[in-house]
Amino acid sequence: MNQLRSVKGTHDILPDESNKWQNLESIVNAVCAQYGYHEIRTPIFEETGLFSRSVGEETDIVSKEMYTWEDKDGKSLTLRPELTASVTRSFIQHSLGNQSPIQRLYYMGPLFRRERPQKGRQRQFHQFGVEAFGSEHPEQDAEIIAIAWQILSRCGLANDAKLNLNSIGSKECRIDYRSALKDYILPYLNDFSETSQQRFKTNPLRILDTKSEKEQMILKDAPMITDYHSTDDSAHIESLKGFLNAMDIPFEINHKLVRGLDYYTKTVFEFNSLTLGAQDALLGGGRYDGLVKTLGGKQTPGIGFAAGMERFLIAMDESENEFNRSTPDIYLVCLDEKGLSNSLKISDQLRKNGFKVVTDPLRRSMKSQLRDANKLGVKFALILGETEIKDKTIAFKDFGKGIQKTILQSEVINFFDDLTN
Ligand code: AMP
């Protein structure tokens, strides 16, 4: 029979990787707590209409990449391809806006997009992200970008990442810009790829995102969105730039950055890795002042970002960060069945005092238990043999220093406390 395997574009996170995930998750939890953000967890699947109405029918995500099916009752359901829409749906459904004028939320979890898998691009992947609902002011944009910057810094990635910033203005200014851009592109349209020609019809701003050098050359003199900004749009981005400078967060204005989704307004940004190669977007976000209303809520401004956790972990590996598998502190070797209950008791007392302790449930020989300890990279061993059981003692071994001595079982906790302080 054929061996069953995970589906293309999905991955198991194996025990020797999960520690890295937990480290990243705890950095995200810690930084978000410092800024007063609370975690929100929404379902993995939603009604399809949620994504088509918010992300946009013409976007790649909605038109090509969603896992959608008709449920038994005829309803169209979709595995979530992004989380801002779900979080906004939940914000509206539970009237979170009535609880406080600002809702600061963050999330972590799996997402599903049927893309062509490659390094840093999967069909099931994970994101963490933050969303702030309620403020239209640029200091809110600055706070969101500062959270991203803090998390990147704690992950050791700040020096390898570049912040690209742009303002795509309010909806009104984009209508004029859209037609100016189309007028500019039209005479060259035949030189553009099929994808870009399609985008010309459906979402011309996205052509600015093109990776093709030829198309980039043509677009060099294209009109710029900044020339279509309203006074309010310009004031907003100028204040934001000032706040970022005040916080020493380096950025570059990139007039070509538009981001793919329909719901963005004004500020858009991306942190790109300088080490990741083709899939270099670590994190992207922007303001979405119209989204709550589009989804049926009261007019409420919002801004947020989403970050790819797999890409963070790849970048962290490449920057030679110290996010290793967690190593136990102590290996307790028990050599006699009569010592087992004492061995379990001592191990648990040590764990209660903050030490990571491993015992051997296979009743192996001393030699193979010590070999196992070595393989795990443990620093200390405690050995409970026949003599020690009789004398109520335990043998202590420091692998690094090559020291061995005998201590009283009743003194084990104090001994390790002294040793590690
Ligand atoms: P987006 O929601 O498309 O703005 O993506 C936000 C972040 O999620 C990106 O910057 C990537 O880090 C990550 N990401 C998006 N799509 C994928 C994917 N298919 N596989 C892995 N990471 C992804």
Side-chain angles (χ1 to χ4, degrees):
M1 201 166 61
N2 279 348
Q3 202 188 348
L4 291 170
R5 302 184 63 84
S6 57
V7 175
K8 186 176 172 190
T10 70
H11 290 274
D12 297 315
I13 298 169
L14 297 174
D16 64 350
E17 296 160 304
S18 52
N19 193 247
K20 294 181 193 171
W21 282 83
Q22 289 169 353
N23 271 319
L24 176 56
E25 286 157 11
S26 51
I27 291 171
V28 173
N29 283 323
V31 173
C32 288
Q34 283 185 312
Y35 284 83
Y37 283 65
H38 295 283
E39 191 185 5
I40 180 162
R41 301 184 190 197
T42 60
I44 301 283
F45 57 92
E46 300 269 358
E47 285 190 30
T48 306
L50 172 63
F51 304 110
S52 42
R53 269 167 70 186
S54 55
V55 178
E57 294 278 8
E58 303 299 345
T59 56
D60 287 352
I61 293 181
V62 173
S63 64
K64 295 193 240 167
E65 298 168 359
M66 295 203 303
Y67 285 95
T68 297
W69 71 99
E70 191 182 292
D71 210 21
K72 293 228 166 86
D73 59 4
K75 210 170 241 169
S76 179
L77 302 178
T78 292
L79 291 181
R80 61 188 190 193
E82 65 111 55
L83 260 153
T84 302
S86 305
V87 171
T88 307
R89 193 250 329 121
S90 180
F91 170 87
I92 298 167
Q93 183 176 338
H94 302 286
S95 308
L96 297 184
N98 293 345
Q99 292 176 13
S100 122
I102 290 289
Q103 276 292 325
R104 298 182 175 96
L105 307 169
Y106 77 98
Y107 59 78
M108 281 188 254
L111 306 176
F112 308 85
R113 292 184 195 169
R114 204 174 190 292
E115 294 190 84
R116 203 165 37 79
Q118 62 182 83
K119 186 181 174 197
R121 192 160 75 192
Q122 299 175 193
R123 291 180 170 178
Q124 175 174 341
F125 63 102
H126 298 75
Q127 286 185 345
F128 66 84
V130 302
E131 314 287 358
F133 293 94
S135 169
E136 60 182 358
H137 298 299
E139 54 271 36
Q140 182 66 76
D141 307 35
E143 180 177 276
I144 291 287
I145 293 176
I147 296 174
W149 178 248
Q150 269 292 333
I151 295 175
L152 282 160
S153 306
R154 299 245 188 125
C155 293
L157 297 179
N159 291 334
D160 296 333
K162 192 172 111 192
L163 169 57
N164 284 289
L165 180 68
N166 193 18
S167 168
I168 55 168
S170 46
K171 215 171 174 181
E172 297 73 41
C173 100
R174 272 207 310 283
I175 295 171
D176 292 340
Y177 178 63
R178 203 181 133 109
S179 54
L181 185 64
K182 282 181 94 167
D183 289 347
Y184 175 86
I185 292 174
L186 190 60
Y188 309 100
L189 198 56
N190 286 337
D191 297 324
F192 280 80
S193 68
E194 219 175 285
T195 314
S196 291
Q197 292 190 18
Q198 182 59 28
R199 285 178 179 163
F200 182 82
K201 287 189 220 137
T202 56
N203 195 350
L205 262 67
R206 284 225 55 203
I207 299 180
L208 297 173
D209 264 346
T210 178
K211 292 248 165 25
S212 143
E213 277 180 28
K214 183 176 153 203
E215 295 182 8
Q216 283 172 357
M217 276 302 289
I218 302 174
L219 292 168
K220 216 159 55 72
D221 298 319
M224 288 199 293
I225 186 97
T226 29
D227 296 332
Y228 293 78
H229 279 171
S230 67
T231 327
D232 178 45
D233 294 336
S234 311
H236 190 96
I237 184 80
E238 285 311 314
S239 302
L240 173 58
K241 280 154 66 175
F243 295 142
L244 294 176
N245 283 329
M247 290 190 291
D248 287 328
I249 300 178
F251 63 89
E252 212 166 274
I253 294 291
N254 176 352
H255 293 292
K256 301 261 157 43
L257 178 71
V258 292
R259 301 209 19 88
L261 321 186
D262 275 6
Y263 54 61
Y264 286 121
T265 49
K266 292 187 179 164
T267 310
V268 288
F269 62 95
E270 238 172 53
F271 276 95
N272 295 87
S273 160
L274 305 174
T275 59
L276 276 188
Q279 301 302 322
D280 67 348
L282 281 168
L283 173 163
R287 185 165 266 291
Y288 43 82
D289 289 347
L291 182 59
V292 176
K293 198 157 177 214
T294 305
L295 291 178
K298 277 193 285 205
Q299 169 55 36
T300 312
I303 176 163
F305 72 75
M309 297 181 78
E310 281 82 2
R311 293 201 197 161
F312 259 64
L313 292 171
I314 298 172
M316 283 156 84
D317 272 348
E318 284 175 7
S319 75
E320 288 173 4
N321 257 296
E322 264 305 303
F323 287 97
N324 292 332
R325 176 186 181 131
S326 116
T327 309
D329 305 307
I330 304 163
Y331 196 108
L332 205 155
V333 178
C334 179
L335 297 172
D336 192 310
E337 219 182 304
K338 288 202 277 315
L340 281 177
S341 39
N342 257 359
S343 153
L344 293 174
K345 188 171 135 190
I346 295 168
S347 316
D348 252 19
Q349 283 171 342
L350 282 162
R351 292 188 191 109
K352 278 183 199 135
N353 282 271
F355 296 99
K356 291 182 241 159
V357 188
V358 173
T359 58
D360 175 54
L362 297 173
R363 302 191 181 182
R364 286 178 286 188
S365 70
M366 170 136 108
K367 201 167 148 204
S368 43
Q369 289 195 46
L370 289 178
R371 204 185 300 130
D372 192 27
N374 219 303
K375 205 168 117 194
L376 294 173
V378 179
K379 274 204 215 121
F380 311 115
L382 285 171
I383 304 162
L384 206 50
E386 220 177 309
T387 324
E388 287 84 9
I389 296 168
K390 203 157 54 49
D391 299 346
K392 296 203 170 9
T393 57
I394 196 160
F396 162 81
K397 197 173 161 73
D398 180 330
F399 290 112
K401 295 194 178 135
I403 301 169
Q404 183 150 348
K405 60 171 134 185
T406 304
I407 49 181
L408 283 173
Q409 287 178 17
S410 55
E411 283 299 311
V412 168
I413 303 292
N414 287 342
F415 176 81
F416 275 102
D417 277 342
D418 290 348
L419 192 74
T420 48
N421 282 326

